[in-house]
Amino acid sequence: MAYKIGDACISCGACADECPVSCISAGDDKYMINEDECIECGACNSVCPVEAPQLD
Ligand code: SF4
Ligand code: SF4
């Protein structure tokens, strides 16, 4: 299990700044989470204005 960023992402970058293990990076049309590094803390979901990161 890991958080995954859905299509609602508007690429604001807030989640990447908040992630304690820095596993979020900008992708082509939305931000991406490295699922091997995500520790499921939920910080990205909490800070996201559109709740795009969800548990997969
Ligand atoms: Fe990073 Fe936590 Fe979001 Fe996983 S749940 S991507 S560790 S902020
Ligand atoms: Fe996308 Fe939400 Fe992250 Fe902003 S905080 S880049 S909208 S997932």
Side-chain angles (χ1 to χ4, degrees), residues 2-5 15-16 18-24 32-34 37-45 47 53 55:
Y3 275 77
K4 193 170 182 178
I5 294 176
C15 55
E18 207 68 23
C19 180
V21 296
S22 301
C23 70
I24 307 176
M32 310 283 293
I33 291 172
N34 182 330
E37 297 177 8
C38 174
I39 58 171
E40 298 170 40
C41 70
C44 51
N45 175 279
V47 76
L55 268 180

Side-chain angles (χ1 to χ4, degrees), residues 5 8-16 24 31 44 47-53:
I5 294 176
C9 175
I10 55 172
S11 297
C12 71
C15 55
I24 307 176
Y31 271 56
C44 51
V47 76
C48 179
V50 294
E51 295 184 12

